[in-house]
Amino acid sequence: MSLPDEVDVVVIGAGPAGLAAATMLASAARVLVLDRESAAGGIPRHCGHFPFGLREFRRLMRGPDYARALVARAEASGVRIETAVNVVRLHPGPRVTVTSDKGLHEIRARLVLLATGVRETSRAQRLIGGEKPGGVLATGALQGLVYLEGRRPFRRPVILGTELVSFSAIMTCLHAGIRPVAMIEPNRSITARWPASIYPWLKRVPVHLSTRIRRIEGHEHVERVVLEGPRGESILDTDGVIVTGRFRPEATLLDASHLERDPATGGPVVDNFGRCTDPSYFAAGNMLRPVETAGWSWAEGVAIGKAMRAGLEGKLPDGERHRVRLVGDAIDWVLPHAVLAHDGAALGRFQMRVSRPVSGRLSLRVAGSEYASRRISSRPERRITLPLPPRDGPLEIVLEER
Ligand SMILES: Cc1cc2nc3c(=O)[nH]c(=O)nc-3n(C[C@H](O)[C@H](O)[C@H](O)COP(=O)(O)OP(=O)(O)OC[C@H]3O[C@@H](n4cnc5c(N)ncnc54)[C@H](O)[C@@H]3O)c2cc1C
């Protein structure tokens, strides 16, 4: 079937965030969801393990079942989903240019949602030296090989990283009969929060803290890695390296667009309704920041879908949005970037991360007066939140380290 020239809402990305928002909008608008992959469902489609779906369907599901359930729910509510369609350009209007096997096409809409998720940082971007043998994979590539192609690319790999997605890598390995020989973490402690942090111990995967991979060695395939840890250099025999984490939003579309990008998150600048700097564009899910769970991305899609619906009905508040100023060099990023005080905000709390392990006092000031504060002891890649202010004014988030 050919693509339409005009709809009410174009959603770019058929992952949990895009599908949730589309489902929320379907009874009020003609919604078209576009995805460049051959099937809809986003990252969970590649994650053949538990636990997905508790928030959304009140049951424990594997990723592919969860993805299928989200797609079925969206289609049942009247959403049209087109796959193998790559969005290549965003224009004011709003209007998007897409490519598919039928060539280039332009689609006009009243609103556009960006829900394009994240991508992983490669080995080269992580500056790991050594030879370039086969068997070095990112988690997404490993999941594609294991769950979609039924392959076993190695038998005893090391996993670089200990954030939430690193545990997704352990689960994927165990599913395929692969036994990871170690997790390598450059920081002094595991990045993921409890209870995920005890998972390597439960599965008997040793964790090497304060350790880096200096070199990967091997000819055709990985044979060993050279580690640099608290006791100097050591060699670990292995036949693969899984490079996990250090995600960046899949925001290539922003590069040549008129939308402002936040260099800290890598995603678009948004207000507390998920509106970009052109208010006919919205963003939701991991496109906004690296990286949250499927359940979180889905809930955010629902909330931003509701805000877009209010936008179509002319009920979204307009006016001056106050940009948030960050004080304290350990604060890596904050969302939303700008706030218009209102009861029905889609992003109901500030969400932020730190760039290094910190302890101290975090406070929110509105027009110079403190509105909220909390003590934190946090690490990079852990979620920290603060309430949104009930009144407008210049905003500052201040971190005083102990
Ligand atoms: C390797 C990996 C493993 C993960 N494992 C887990 C896990 O086990 N559990 C968990 O809860 N979370 C996991 N996550 C986090 C995951 O990102 C979220 O679970 C969730 O998928 C985010 O939903 P989303 O809708 O924001 O994005 P995604 O699910 O990433 O969906 C984005 C969609 O946008 C499409 N897209 C991107 N650009 C374009 C374009 N230009 N044109 C058209 N389509 C486009 C993509 O094809 C994709 O389908 C993992 C993430 C990664 C990267």
Side-chain angles (χ1 to χ4, degrees), residues 124-399:
Q125 288 162 318
R126 305 279 286 264
L127 304 175
I128 304 170
E131 287 149 296
K132 304 264 181 294
V136 182
L137 294 175
T139 323
L142 171 71
Q143 289 178 330
L145 289 176
V146 168
Y147 292 126
L148 301 184
E149 295 178 28
R151 288 172 54 193
R152 188 152 55 152
F154 30 56
R155 280 163 196 273
R156 37 188 191 82
V158 293
I159 298 176
L160 174 59
T162 58
E163 64 174 278
L164 214 51
V165 170
S166 319
F167 301 100
S168 191
I170 299 187
M171 285 187 243
T172 306
C173 286
L174 297 180
H175 172 91
I178 299 167
R179 174 131 286 284
V181 289
M183 292 184 99
I184 311 295
E185 172 55 58
N187 290 316
R188 276 181 300 172
S189 49
I190 290 181
T191 304
R193 285 181 297 268
W194 191 90
S197 53
I198 61 167
Y199 192 68
W201 176 76
L202 285 177
K203 296 295 170 190
R204 300 206 189 102
V205 180
V207 180
H208 298 249
L209 298 173
S210 304
T211 301
R212 293 171 194 282
I213 297 183
R214 272 195 70 118
R215 278 193 316 280
I216 298 175
E217 294 182 349
H219 294 294
E220 291 192 356
H221 216 274
V222 175
E223 291 168 22
R224 69 195 78 80
V225 289
V226 178
L227 304 178
E228 185 182 9
R231 288 192 213 103
E233 273 195 10
S234 59
I235 289 177
L236 187 63
D237 287 333
T238 180
D239 63 352
V241 178
I242 307 170
V243 182
T244 71
R246 303 243 187 119
F247 296 97
R248 296 293 289 163
E250 177 46 276
T252 328
L253 275 174
L254 296 179
D255 291 343
S257 82
H258 60 299
L259 304 174
E260 186 180 340
R261 184 176 189 162
D262 173 9
T265 58
V269 167
V270 291
D271 70 9
N272 45 330
F273 295 90
R275 281 181 295 202
C276 300
T277 42
D278 169 349
S280 58
Y281 280 86
F282 288 69
N286 279 335
M287 160 61 143
L288 283 177
R289 100 297 274 157
V291 52
E292 279 293 351
T293 61
W296 178 285
S297 303
W298 174 85
E300 199 168 79
V302 170
I304 287 173
K306 277 188 199 160
M308 293 176 74
R309 199 172 157 143
L312 289 171
E313 291 163 357
K315 291 184 186 155
L316 268 194
D318 215 350
E320 191 191 349
R321 281 155 233 183
H322 289 276
R323 288 293 272 261
V324 184
R325 197 169 85 86
L326 300 179
V327 183
D329 65 357
I331 306 178
D332 197 12
W333 54 259
V334 67
L335 276 177
H337 307 88
V339 173
L340 179 66
H342 191 272
D343 287 345
L347 300 173
R349 294 177 74 80
F350 283 113
Q351 194 196 137
M352 65 203 85
R353 302 268 170 92
V354 288
S355 54
R356 53 182 159 80
V358 289
S359 303
R361 186 171 179 277
L362 188 69
S363 59
L364 168 65
R365 294 183 191 155
V366 188
S369 318
E370 187 167 296
Y371 167 67
S373 71
R374 53 177 290 202
R375 298 229 153 261
I376 61 162
S377 176
S378 197
R379 295 182 206 147
E381 312 198 37
R382 288 195 177 177
R383 184 193 304 145
I384 308 166
T385 65
L386 275 177
L388 283 186
R391 58 180 195 281
D392 278 319
L395 295 169
E396 277 181 337
I397 292 181
V398 183
L399 175 60

Side-chain angles (χ1 to χ4, degrees), residues 22-31 77-79 309:
T23 305
M24 188 46 62
L25 283 155
S27 61
R30 289 167 302 154
V31 184
S77 68
V79 171
R309 199 172 157 143

Side-chain angles (χ1 to χ4, degrees), residues 12-19 34-37 39-47 49-52 66 85-88 115-120 138-141 143 164-165 167-169 171 247 250 253 284-289 291-298:
I12 310 172
L19 290 172
L34 303 173
D35 202 293
R36 64 185 174 192
E37 288 208 24
I43 295 274
R45 207 169 68 80
H46 306 253
C47 301
H49 51 71
F50 297 104
F52 289 88
Y66 167 74
V85 179
N86 192 12
V87 180
V88 291
T116 50
V118 277
R119 65 183 141 81
E120 288 165 286
T139 323
Q143 289 178 330
L164 214 51
V165 170
F167 301 100
S168 191
M171 285 187 243
F247 296 97
E250 177 46 276
L253 275 174
N286 279 335
M287 160 61 143
L288 283 177
R289 100 297 274 157
V291 52
E292 279 293 351
T293 61
W296 178 285
S297 303
W298 174 85

Side-chain angles (χ1 to χ4, degrees), residues 22-84:
T23 305
M24 188 46 62
L25 283 155
S27 61
R30 289 167 302 154
V31 184
L32 175 65
V33 179
L34 303 173
D35 202 293
R36 64 185 174 192
E37 288 208 24
S38 58
I43 295 274
R45 207 169 68 80
H46 306 253
C47 301
H49 51 71
F50 297 104
F52 289 88
L54 264 186
R55 259 195 241 209
E56 305 84 330
F57 299 101
R58 309 232 171 280
R59 62 195 162 97
L60 271 181
M61 304 165 94
R62 290 184 195 273
D65 298 330
Y66 167 74
R68 273 191 292 276
L70 289 178
V71 171
R73 190 186 262 180
E75 287 181 331
S77 68
V79 171
R80 177 173 169 189
I81 302 175
E82 293 289 341
T83 54

